[in-house]
Amino acid sequence: MNNNLFGLTDREILVLTYSLKGISNHDMAQKLFISNSAVKAHLHHLLLKTNTKNKLELATKIFCLFLNVEIDKIDYLVEQFIRQQNIPDDICDVSV
């Protein structure tokens, strides 16, 4: 087992890496020579260990940690990004 922030196993780190790259569960299973059920189990453990609800929240949390940004500041960063891209407010309203 790796010594890391969430106590992830080597296999969980691989699944996390593939997930962050947007690789489907099916393709992960093929690359890792495991079943789809095993991929889902690894993802379930990842969500539990990182206290996240889904892959999107997991990715957000990992990127926030990587960028050293507090997760509650992500809305502000997204809003700033949208403004920099000159996207009209009525097309992409980030207020929820």
Side-chain angles (χ1 to χ4, degrees):
M1 178 166 323
N2 279 333
N3 183 16
N4 57 59
L5 182 62
F6 298 108
L8 304 179
T9 65
D10 290 341
R11 186 54 59 107
E12 289 166 344
I13 291 171
L14 273 175
V15 169
L16 173 61
T17 302
Y18 286 143
S19 181
L20 293 173
K21 290 180 177 182
I23 295 173
S24 71
N25 291 1
H26 175 76
D27 289 345
M28 279 188 239
Q30 288 185 328
K31 289 177 179 291
L32 298 172
F33 303 103
I34 60 177
S35 69
N36 286 332
S37 298
V39 171
K40 289 179 184 179
H42 289 306
L43 285 168
H44 178 72
H45 294 140
L46 280 165
L47 297 177
L48 289 174
K49 288 180 176 182
T50 58
N51 193 30
T52 54
K53 296 179 190 94
N54 53 53
K55 286 187 197 179
L56 179 59
E57 187 177 1
L58 174 62
T60 302
K61 188 169 200 168
I62 296 302
F63 283 118
C64 284
L65 287 169
F66 177 74
L67 297 172
N68 197 26
V69 173
E70 294 177 34
I71 225 161
D72 60 349
K73 303 235 187 319
I74 198 72
D75 290 341
Y76 171 78
L77 294 175
V78 169
E79 185 177 326
Q80 294 304 310
F81 172 78
I82 289 170
R83 292 193 192 292
Q84 289 174 359
Q85 304 307 310
N86 296 319
I87 300 171
D89 289 336
D90 60 336
I91 292 176
C92 190
D93 182 10
V94 294
S95 62
V96 178

